[in-house]
Structures are given as structure tokens and as C-alpha cells.
Amino acid sequence: SGGSVSLLGGLELIRECIEKANRKIEIMIGGGVNEENLETILKQVNPDAIHFSGTILSKKEENSMFASERLLISEQKVDALISLIRKS
């Protein structure tokens, strides 16, 4: 997240780190990447790699003996993020 409370707030520092690394090490962006901010990230930073969650929160049945919430992989969310990356 570039040392900021939000990923978008840390983009300038991330961009500077990528420039200083000169592609000798891979800088991976993460910590809040989603469909709403991915295009901005790609345009402003051009990161080496991106880490994002392809999950959605799923609520289980009320009477279940197991946890009431869980994360499930969303193929639709993953496909949308990958599509945005490929367009850039």
C-alpha cells in the first residue's frame, strides 16, 4: 500500500520504488486492489506484479454449526480483474 492507509494514497511512493529498483527486483502492488481502482493503478504506476483477492464474502445458513461467513473464490471477479490487466 505504499506506506499509506490506502493503496491509492501510496501510489507515488510505489512508483518511485519501482523506478529506483529499475526492474532489478519485482515490486508487487497489493492491499486493496479491486475493479474500481485497478485502471488508475495501472496507468499511474505500471507495476511489475499485482496481488488481489478474487473472493467474495458468503453468508452461510443461520442454523449452521460452522462459521456464519466464509470467503469463496469468485470466477467473475477474477475474470474481470484479469481482463482489466490485459487491456492495459
Side-chain angles (χ1 to χ4, degrees), residues 3 5 7-8 15 24 27 29 54 68 73 76-78 83:
V5 294
L7 176 60
L8 293 179
R15 188 188 58 72
K24 292 179 182 171
I27 308 286
I29 293 202
S68 62
I73 294 173
Q76 181 180 2
K77 186 175 179 180
V78 172
S83 177

Side-chain angles (χ1 to χ4, degrees), residues 44-75:
Q44 290 186 15
V45 179
N46 190 24
D48 300 321
I50 299 170
H51 179 273
F52 61 84
S53 172
T55 60
I56 55 171
L57 187 61
S58 171
K59 302 213 181 239
K60 293 187 77 174
E61 295 177 21
E62 202 172 298
N63 296 327
S64 174
M65 292 175 42
F66 303 100
S68 62
E69 298 177 342
R70 64 183 176 163
L71 292 175
L72 298 175
I73 294 173
S74 167
E75 288 185 45

